[in-house]
Amino acid sequence: MTSAPRWRRFDEWDTRPLRHDQFAAEDPEAGFATFHSPWDPTPSARVENGRVVEIDGKQEADFDILDSFIAAHHLDLEVIEEAMAMDPAEVARMLVDINVPRETLEQLARGMTPAKLVSVVSRMSSLEITFAYSKMRQRRTPGNQAHVTNAKDDPLQLAADSAVAVALGFDEVETTMRVASNSWANAIACAVGAAVGRGGVLFQCSIEEAEELRIGMAGFTSYAETVSVYGTEAAFVDGDDTPWSKAFLTAAYASRGMKARCTSGASAELLMGFHERQSVLYLEARCLCLQRAMGVQGTQNGGIDGAPLTASMAGGMRELMAENLIAAWLGLECASGNDTRISESEIRVGAKITPFLMAGSDLLCSGFGSIRKYDNSFNPSLFNGEDIEDFLVLQRDFEADGGLTPVDEGDIREIRMHAIRAIAAVFEELELATVPESWMVSVAAASGSLETETFPTSEVTRISAAIRDRGLTAVDVVRALERRGFAREAENLLLMLRQRISGDYLQTSAILRDGRVISALNDPNDYRGPGSGYRMSDARRDAVRNVRDLQTREKVLERERRLDPTAEPWLIVAGEAQKGTDPREVVIGLSPAFGNELTQTTAGHDLIDVVLALTDGIREGGGAPRLIRIRHTADTSFLGLTAARLSGSGYAIGIQAKGTAVIHRADRLPHMNIELFSNAPVTTLEHYRAMGRNAALYARGETPEPIIVPVDGQALGARYHVRVAMLYAIETGLVVPEAAPVDLEMSIGQGGLSR
């Protein structure tokens, strides 16, 4: 017997981007477990003589460095007994109960051990986690953060791309470099570019921590989020760190007026080989308790570099959401970890961002790649420069504020060039480099570094070393901008230096909008159900809605306008249409706007050519064509049926101006046609010719092979329905309900309907 063949659908699935992703089987012993592992401890805590002597089944004598730090600095002795005694299911319900204040839940979290926190959120569905996150996040107003890097560490491109990122609405900009020694040049370029976009954007240069602190002390950066925290002692030791050393470092940043977040995320310990066979959520809960204990403002959370590994496990996406919820529940600012591209599947990528777009977040992405994927020195983000417009439309679709605003193409052109001229002026004023005009133009137009004519990397390294060795600071850059005529940019950069002195943006979840700090203190999340919490203002909603290529009736009519408005009409009324007598006759019933208000199909075919194709086809099939205009309806089926009832053969074609057409017969129900061309955007003139031929063959009593217009899976509705709806509104606007059909003659060529 012949064996069953392989279903070819699997071959097709094998070519999908999803097949590049890898998926891990659950294996807790190897560290591959999201919410539960047999090696996860049972929640417990015990206090003796004002001292925590037991955490999650472990006695004080056996505490590792994480347990010791959590016991000493995280657990609140005033609420620990109450919080640990509560039923996890009850607490989970409190998290989604709009009547339980966020502050009450935060207070309870201070008395919960990592295992207790996990026992609560692990009971919640993805929908419940999303809802709870919308309630527990710290700042009322959502925000977003951009990655601005490039493969050449080119300061001109960095300045231009930073200015664009800020114009798009990003509240923070983060850079790093391909060559470590280029850090100072990258920092000065991004700082200047951000100042061109608007004042009050927080900026970070991600580099080795001691060097990053030096750059910050020079005034070029205003925050840091590279303070890594781990969920096992072995991972800390491997990194030559402890919770105390990390706490000291964050204090050092804060003492210099720099906002600081820690970085952690599920699967970090698994990637490092120190997972202790515990679930990734439990280990991340330990990290987050440590961060609260350190007194740091916030966390860069949600998988971060380990997110693709977590997403490979069953429930991985839900786990990434759950750890963000724990972060917000503990009172930390949350940059919700969408900076790593977790999949080659655009469906999975869109799915990952959607809960955070719905719920809002302090920073939806801890690094939205505002540049091209190949230019992202952190590796591609969940969303990158290629995807910005997709994200803008997602905001519009859901009327959800993801922190970004559409920007006009002309504005972007001016912003990029202005930023490039600003950094070039600074370099010349500080005698760091001279920038040729051709380089400026090249970078301004380039989508990415592969297209630029600019500094060689070795020259960037020289510039960076000069900035560092000469001890240049942001004050020097302010002076240089002012001297070269960039007064507004100088003031914007000076604003950030003033903020460093005041320290106001060291508050939890602080960002700057319009030169004013908004944070969890003066803009607390007050979500308590429908009608409360953050709601977009009318102005903000209008801005979010204003994406590129909006279709309007005026734009549609402009496309339809005749090239020569003085040309004579090509369809001439010849009197009221009567029932035909020729058994070979095939009537073509045209819609009200066909050939007058509307001049082409959605496929772009001139309606004259469409009529000629139909009539030629009818003749080829042995029929006799007749044109009529139907004025009482614009519906395709009724166009065809009306024409068929006037046809000598009883067969006819009905066609709308946009190109939708049917073959109909006089004795059929209105929507029971013979053949239908419903996908006008992919219907060719040859298809119309074949339709005419088939209609004539039907009239002769034959049964031809129906014409199939192939569709290759295009989202035709998304591409054309807006225009189609407007076109059809024009059609129906010309309908005269009681008007009789009229015969038409064509004024082109010889012999009426001939070419």
Side-chain angles (χ1 to χ4, degrees):
M1 293 179 64
T2 303
S3 62
R6 187 177 196 243
W7 191 30
R8 290 196 182 97
R9 183 73 55 78
F10 284 99
D11 296 330
E12 296 163 4
W13 285 341
D14 285 345
T15 66
R16 297 273 294 170
L18 178 66
R19 293 266 57 84
H20 293 290
D21 295 354
Q22 293 185 339
F23 302 100
E26 188 164 348
D27 184 359
E29 187 164 1
F32 286 88
T34 49
F35 282 82
H36 304 284
S37 165
W39 287 272
D40 285 354
T42 300
S44 70
R46 186 162 52 90
V47 179
E48 290 183 358
N49 301 320
R51 185 182 183 89
V52 178
V53 296
E54 179 187 332
I55 293 178
D56 294 338
K58 191 183 294 185
Q59 304 305 308
E60 185 177 19
D62 300 319
F63 283 179
D64 61 17
I65 57 175
L66 284 76
D67 298 316
S68 298
F69 200 86
I70 289 170
H73 302 291
H74 163 61
L75 290 170
D76 186 340
L77 299 185
E78 292 186 6
V79 296
I80 188 170
E81 184 176 352
E82 175 191 0
M84 292 299 295
M86 294 183 73
D87 177 13
E90 178 190 351
V91 181
R93 286 191 291 270
M94 292 170 67
L95 283 167
V96 296
D97 187 342
I98 60 175
N99 298 305
V100 179
R102 178 170 57 89
E103 294 77 10
T104 298
L105 288 157
E106 279 187 31
Q107 185 178 22
L108 288 173
R110 300 183 194 120
M112 293 186 182
T113 64
K116 184 70 174 184
L117 293 166
V118 170
S119 73
V120 173
V121 298
S122 62
R123 283 169 164 76
M124 302 173 73
S125 70
S126 295
L127 177 63
E128 291 160 349
I129 291 170
T130 303
F131 184 80
Y133 189 79
S134 71
K135 168 182 167 179
M136 295 307 300
R137 62 184 178 83
Q138 296 299 299
R139 191 180 61 246
R140 188 173 187 263
T141 306
N144 220 324
Q145 181 204 99
H147 281 168
V148 176
T149 63
N150 65 69
K152 295 178 180 177
D153 291 342
D154 171 34
L156 304 181
Q157 187 178 338
L158 289 168
D161 288 340
S162 292
V164 169
V166 172
L168 283 165
F170 287 103
D171 297 296
E172 294 185 354
V173 170
E174 179 182 13
T175 194
T176 191
M177 57 292 311
R178 298 288 171 98
V179 179
S181 53
N182 291 344
S183 57
W184 289 83
N186 280 33
I188 195 172
C190 287
V192 170
V196 167
R198 73 171 188 268
V201 175
L202 301 178
F203 169 61
Q204 176 196 3
C205 181
S206 181
I207 186 64
E208 187 275 329
E209 288 168 346
E211 189 76 350
E212 185 171 339
L213 188 56
R214 288 183 63 190
I215 292 172
M217 291 175 67
F220 294 118
T221 60
S222 46
Y223 81 97
E225 63 178 2
T226 55
V227 184
S228 300
V229 176
Y230 308 105
T232 63
E233 185 175 75
F236 261 113
V237 171
D238 186 63
D240 196 29
D241 283 309
T242 70
W244 288 270
S245 65
K246 294 295 187 180
F248 179 81
L249 182 59
T250 58
Y253 281 121
S255 70
R256 298 299 185 269
M258 294 181 67
K259 176 181 174 181
R261 281 194 294 270
C262 288
T263 292
S264 60
S267 294
E269 299 81 12
L270 179 54
L271 285 169
M272 296 174 72
F274 300 116
H275 53 78
E276 297 182 0
R277 301 185 294 185
Q278 293 168 325
S279 69
V280 294
L281 182 59
Y282 171 71
L283 294 177
E284 182 54 21
R286 297 189 88 196
C287 292
L288 292 168
C289 288
L290 284 173
Q291 291 172 56
R292 199 198 81 77
M294 290 163 57
V296 71
Q297 286 170 267
T299 184
Q300 181 183 208
N301 193 241
I304 312 303
D305 292 339
L309 182 56
T310 307
S312 76
M313 306 178 207
M317 293 278 215
R318 176 170 159 251
E319 190 285 333
L320 297 176
M321 296 165 61
E323 63 182 78
N324 278 307
L325 173 56
I326 293 176
W329 185 11
L330 288 169
L332 297 169
E333 173 191 51
C334 190
S336 48
N338 290 291
D339 61 335
T340 305
R341 198 166 185 89
I342 52 93
S343 174
E344 292 290 355
S345 164
E346 291 193 343
I347 294 174
R348 297 184 77 208
V349 166
K352 185 176 188 292
I353 196 67
T354 301
F356 299 100
L357 187 60
M358 298 294 96
S361 186
D362 291 326
L363 297 161
L364 265 77
C365 298
S366 51
F368 186 129
S370 65
I371 67 284
R372 295 284 299 277
K373 289 179 189 175
Y374 71 77
D375 266 331
N376 197 329
S377 299
F378 292 98
N379 288 324
S381 297
L382 188 77
F383 282 79
N384 298 275
E386 296 91 333
D387 313 308
I388 286 175
E389 287 200 315
D390 299 65
F391 186 87
L392 291 171
V393 172
L394 279 179
Q395 290 186 144
R396 185 177 188 268
D397 289 339
F398 293 105
E399 290 200 333
D401 195 339
L404 303 192
T405 304
V407 183
D408 182 76
E409 183 178 345
D411 293 341
I412 290 290
R413 184 187 304 122
E414 296 302 319
I415 287 167
R416 289 184 65 81
M417 200 66 193
H418 194 69
I420 293 167
R421 293 197 185 283
I423 189 62
V426 168
F427 279 1
E428 291 180 7
E429 181 66 25
L430 298 179
E431 299 181 348
L432 293 169
T434 300
V435 181
E437 182 74 15
S438 61
W439 289 10
M440 298 187 200
V441 174
S442 168
V443 172
S447 176
S449 62
L450 292 178
E451 306 164 13
T452 60
E453 178 188 356
T454 188
F455 291 103
T457 305
S458 58
E459 180 66 5
V460 177
T461 303
R462 182 197 65 76
I463 292 169
S464 187
I467 297 168
R468 180 196 62 215
D469 296 344
R470 287 168 54 187
L472 295 176
T473 70
V475 174
D476 297 304
V477 177
V478 169
R479 291 196 187 101
L481 287 167
E482 175 67 29
R483 288 170 183 157
R484 290 301 183 105
F486 293 89
R488 183 174 65 87
E489 289 71 30
E491 182 58 37
N492 286 344
L493 186 52
L494 190 60
L495 167 67
M496 295 309 300
L497 298 179
R498 293 193 188 103
Q499 289 292 333
R500 287 283 294 274
I501 296 171
S502 72
D504 285 346
Y505 64 63
L506 299 186
Q507 301 166 12
T508 299
S509 302
I511 56 174
L512 276 82
R513 294 277 178 91
D514 300 320
R516 173 177 171 265
V517 172
I518 59 173
S519 70
L521 292 184
N522 63 0
D523 185 38
N525 181 17
D526 56 355
Y527 181 76
R528 296 288 294 273
S532 65
Y534 178 76
R535 293 290 188 273
M536 285 194 287
S537 65
D538 290 342
R540 177 64 181 150
R541 186 175 290 106
D542 288 343
V544 165
R545 289 173 174 174
N546 193 29
V547 296
R548 210 158 55 104
D549 291 339
L550 291 178
Q551 296 295 305
T552 64
R553 182 184 174 93
E554 290 71 25
K555 287 184 179 179
V556 169
L557 283 173
E558 179 66 28
R559 291 182 61 178
E560 292 293 332
R561 188 165 293 143
R562 293 184 178 88
L563 294 178
D564 182 4
T566 64
E568 292 293 325
W570 59 278
L571 290 171
I572 309 300
V573 175
E576 186 173 325
Q578 304 297 322
K579 176 78 166 82
T581 58
D582 186 345
R584 298 180 306 114
E585 183 180 68
V586 176
V587 173
I588 302 172
L590 307 183
S591 65
F594 194 106
N596 45 49
E597 286 294 314
L598 304 179
T599 62
Q600 58 183 324
T601 71
T602 51
H605 305 308
D606 194 297
L607 293 184
I608 296 174
D609 294 327
V610 172
V611 170
L612 291 173
L614 288 169
T615 54
D616 285 350
I618 290 170
R619 291 194 183 92
E620 288 173 6
R626 175 163 68 112
L627 287 179
I628 68 171
R629 184 181 304 284
I630 298 169
R631 299 178 291 170
H632 73 280
T633 181
D635 180 273
T636 316
S637 294
F638 283 98
L639 291 172
L641 183 60
T642 302
R645 289 172 175 171
L646 291 171
S647 172
S649 68
Y651 285 88
I653 293 170
I655 184 168
Q656 295 174 326
K658 61 186 175 65
T660 304
V662 296
I663 300 176
H664 225 312
R665 195 172 72 196
D667 60 352
R668 289 208 163 198
L669 293 171
H671 298 297
M672 196 65 181
N673 54 67
I674 306 293
E675 291 187 31
L676 168 65
F677 284 6
S678 61
N679 292 316
V682 293
T683 302
T684 66
L685 292 175
E686 186 52 44
H687 288 134
Y688 289 116
R689 189 185 191 100
M691 174 177 260
R693 185 166 53 248
N694 272 13
L697 292 174
Y698 287 125
R700 292 173 53 184
E702 299 182 26
T703 308
E705 187 72 22
I707 309 303
I708 304 297
V709 178
V711 178
D712 194 24
Q714 306 99 317
L716 294 179
R719 296 184 187 186
Y720 295 101
H721 272 184
V722 172
R723 183 177 168 214
V724 164
M726 293 179 180
L727 291 173
Y728 195 58
I730 294 169
E731 288 271 26
T732 56
L734 295 178
V735 167
V736 181
E738 303 300 327
V742 293
D743 281 316
L744 297 175
E745 292 181 356
M746 293 181 68
S747 65
I748 62 173
Q750 300 296 320
L753 294 176
S754 300
R755 290 182 183 277

